[in-house]
């Protein structure tokens, strides 16, 4: 959890934030977008920052093994 929190703090990763404001849905929370959102280590999904993915030419992996 500690490593993920550091990655979130430096906007390397974001996490899926469910609902809020009575509108439902979800959004990806990044520290640089809203500093009032605390990191949630129990989030269902984490996302690498799109700019970092592009710069490092990272690709999405499949979940099938």
């Amino acid at each position: 959890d500690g490593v993920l929190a550091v990655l979130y703090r430096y906007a390397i990763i974001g996490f899926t934030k469910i609902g809020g404001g009575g509108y439902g849905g979800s959004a990806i929370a990044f520290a640089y977008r809203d500093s009032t959102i605390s990191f949630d280590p129990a989030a269902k999904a984490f996302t690498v920052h799109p700019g970092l993915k592009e710069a490092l030419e990272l690709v999405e992996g499949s979940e099938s093994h």
Side-chain angles (χ1 to χ4, degrees):
D1 291 351
V3 172
L4 289 175
V6 169
L7 293 174
Y8 175 73
R9 182 179 333 138
Y10 291 102
I12 295 170
I13 65 166
F15 65 93
T16 302
K17 183 177 179 300
I18 305 299
Y23 298 108
S26 64
I28 304 297
F30 282 99
Y32 70 91
R33 286 186 185 159
D34 187 346
S35 62
T36 64
I37 298 175
S38 297
F39 177 67
D40 179 7
K44 294 192 183 249
F46 299 95
T47 303
V48 175
H49 188 282
L52 186 59
K53 286 170 70 171
E54 181 180 333
L56 297 177
E57 299 179 2
L58 301 176
V59 294
E60 298 284 333
S62 66
E63 292 187 24
S64 62
H65 299 290

